[in-house]
Amino acid sequence: MNILLRHLLILLCLLFSGSSLADDEAGVLRALNDYIQGTETGQPGQIKNAFHPQAQLLLSHDTKPFWTVSMEQYSSWFKPLNNRNRRGKVLSVKIDGDIAMARLKITVAPPYQAYIDHVLLKQIAGKWQIVSKTATDQSTQYKGKKILFIASSASFHGDSDLPAGTSFSELVYAYDTFIKAGYEVDFMSTRGGALSLAYVNTSIPIHKQYLYDPEFMYAIGNSFAPEEVDASEYQAVHYLGGSNAMYEVAEHHGVQAIAMAVFEQNNGIVSSVCHGTAGIVNLKLSNGEYLVANRRVSGYPESFERAGAEYLKEFPFMIGERIKARGGDFRHGERNKPFVEIDGRLITGQNYLSSVAVAEAMIQVLEKR
């Protein structure tokens, strides 16, 4: 399911609350969804529904520096059963009264092309419609390869009131590494929606950078639920740590199915860092064997945990013990130093300091393919 459609369904549920903001968000996403789905599937009527009849599109042209196209002309370019694989994704949305701005990424393949759309919408006669659109080509910045980050939706340790969340360092260091290398990153959590975060520190430059990055914050505030993910689109999955990774992930059959489809059907990578390794302990190959069996695996070891801490009493298992029980060779290095194990297409790190090294190892493997 397209992420826009999911947002639309969620927001429609909020309409009954009488919230004007929910009404506006639903209307904006409905228009954006019509534009994205209409161009993906070649449906001129759906495209027209997204745009005001007098909308103007400012597009790129080799010989025309200022090329405007009408909505009627633009919609006529899209025919059903177009064999080019076109995908759209919302990067950010800002609503001010009866106007809104949206930033979208559009990809087309093959050959791979990427565009950034800036879209202006206005509420006219009670209906949100696109009144203007412009785009720029960013094909040279992207490789057309996608990584799926996997996180837990848990906000507490087990059934306690002890807060837990996804490590922000593990999130941003890996994300930054992939983005700078030209990869795309999507986010999935066990229940979808906004990620629960932990260890956010604005004194750390990269933390501050991404906390004030609207595209990044929109993405982690609207993560996919497993049922909304198409595993065929990804070359790797990356399990994020933070203490909440001990809950919901390992036993989630939908998450397991996605990870193993990427690994076996896409010949992709399964990776994890720190407590994120808890999420891979139950993964099984199609032959019934555990993924970690007879493989070198790293993660956060029990010996590094705070003995006797209340949070530790809530853990459903210990990572090293469970890996060994599954036939894996659990390894770790010194405390507070990076440590990474690369065993074929299984790449794991012991702590947040290993996040960049894990991402770089993944990129090296993917670049050789």
Side-chain angles (χ1 to χ4, degrees):
M1 180 189 296
N2 189 285
I3 188 171
L4 283 170
L5 183 56
R6 177 172 69 85
H7 294 333
L8 181 58
L9 292 174
I10 292 172
L11 290 168
L12 286 174
C13 293
L14 296 175
L15 291 179
F16 297 100
S17 68
S19 168
S20 177
L21 178 59
D23 290 350
D24 290 337
E25 289 177 336
V28 168
L29 290 174
R30 184 184 297 110
L32 295 175
N33 194 54
D34 279 341
Y35 162 54
I36 288 179
Q37 287 196 342
T39 54
E40 285 180 354
T41 59
Q43 300 296 328
Q46 191 172 12
I47 298 171
K48 290 179 182 179
N49 195 52
F51 287 83
H52 187 274
Q54 296 177 326
Q56 291 292 310
L57 290 75
L58 179 61
L59 305 179
S60 298
H61 194 284
D62 291 339
T63 61
K64 299 177 182 178
F66 195 89
W67 184 40
T68 59
V69 175
S70 70
M71 177 277 299
E72 194 73 31
Q73 183 179 358
Y74 180 74
S75 63
S76 70
W77 295 345
F78 295 88
K79 306 297 182 183
L81 302 179
N82 191 324
N83 60 5
R84 299 199 77 191
N85 185 14
R86 181 185 173 102
R87 293 288 182 267
K89 173 175 151 180
V90 177
L91 301 179
S92 63
V93 173
K94 180 68 170 67
I95 300 174
D96 290 293
D98 63 350
I99 61 172
M101 284 288 298
R103 187 167 176 265
L104 314 178
K105 180 173 181 181
I106 307 296
T107 58
V108 183
Y112 184 78
Q113 294 174 277
Y115 304 91
I116 297 296
D117 280 8
H118 284 202
V119 177
L120 176 64
L121 303 98
K122 186 172 177 59
Q123 189 179 43
I124 301 173
K127 181 180 180 181
W128 282 94
Q129 291 180 297
I130 298 171
V131 295
S132 181
K133 182 186 91 75
T134 189
T136 187
D137 188 344
Q138 287 200 336
S139 300
T140 59
Q141 299 182 34
Y142 298 100
K143 299 179 183 296
K145 296 181 179 179
K146 298 176 70 174
I147 313 295
L148 182 67
F149 280 22
I150 299 174
S152 171
S153 296
S155 298
F156 299 94
H157 285 275
D159 296 325
S160 76
D161 58 359
L162 299 170
T166 299
S167 167
F168 199 61
S169 286
E170 295 173 31
L171 183 61
V172 297
Y173 279 112
Y175 178 85
D176 187 71
T177 303
F178 285 120
I179 293 299
K180 287 180 176 176
Y183 288 77
E184 295 182 66
V185 174
D186 285 338
F187 300 91
M188 181 184 75
S189 57
T190 47
R191 284 176 267 151
L195 299 187
S196 299
L197 302 176
Y199 316 118
V200 179
N201 184 349
T202 55
S203 297
I204 301 174
I206 196 170
H207 281 216
K208 181 178 287 187
Q209 172 189 341
Y210 282 107
L211 279 171
Y212 293 100
D213 183 325
E215 177 181 327
F216 174 79
M217 294 305 292
Y218 185 88
I220 67 172
N222 297 275
S223 69
F224 289 109
E227 58 269 22
E228 298 156 355
V229 169
D230 180 356
S232 67
E233 295 183 2
Y234 299 96
Q235 284 70 49
V237 295
H238 181 59
Y239 286 77
L240 296 165
S243 56
N244 71 342
M246 298 298 302
Y247 313 98
E248 299 187 8
V249 185
E251 64 271 23
H252 198 297
H253 295 301
V255 173
Q256 294 171 13
I258 291 166
M260 295 318 298
V262 170
F263 188 80
E264 293 193 303
Q265 297 172 24
N266 303 355
N267 197 33
I269 294 171
V270 169
S271 66
S272 66
V273 67
C274 200
H275 289 91
T277 298
I280 73 172
V281 299
N282 293 330
L283 296 180
K284 286 186 177 181
L285 301 168
S286 55
N287 63 10
E289 295 181 0
Y290 285 104
L291 173 65
V292 299
N294 302 310
R295 294 179 186 270
R296 301 184 309 278
V297 183
S298 189
Y300 202 72
E302 180 183 356
S303 60
F304 289 1
E305 303 284 3
R306 289 189 288 116
E310 289 300 313
Y311 77 86
L312 196 57
K313 299 175 183 177
E314 299 291 331
F315 277 15
F317 56 86
M318 297 300 165
I319 296 172
E321 292 179 359
R322 186 59 60 89
I323 292 294
K324 292 174 184 176
R326 303 303 197 209
D329 179 7
F330 185 77
R331 300 183 179 187
H332 65 86
E334 297 180 47
R335 184 190 293 269
N336 297 325
K337 290 188 177 181
F339 183 86
V340 177
E341 283 292 347
I342 305 170
D343 196 323
R345 291 182 289 113
L346 178 64
I347 302 174
T348 52
Q350 79 168 5
N351 53 19
Y352 82 93
L353 296 168
S354 309
S355 297
V356 172
V358 167
E360 289 176 341
M362 294 169 65
I363 291 169
Q364 289 179 5
V365 173
L366 290 171
E367 293 298 306
K368 291 178 181 178
R369 294 171 55 181

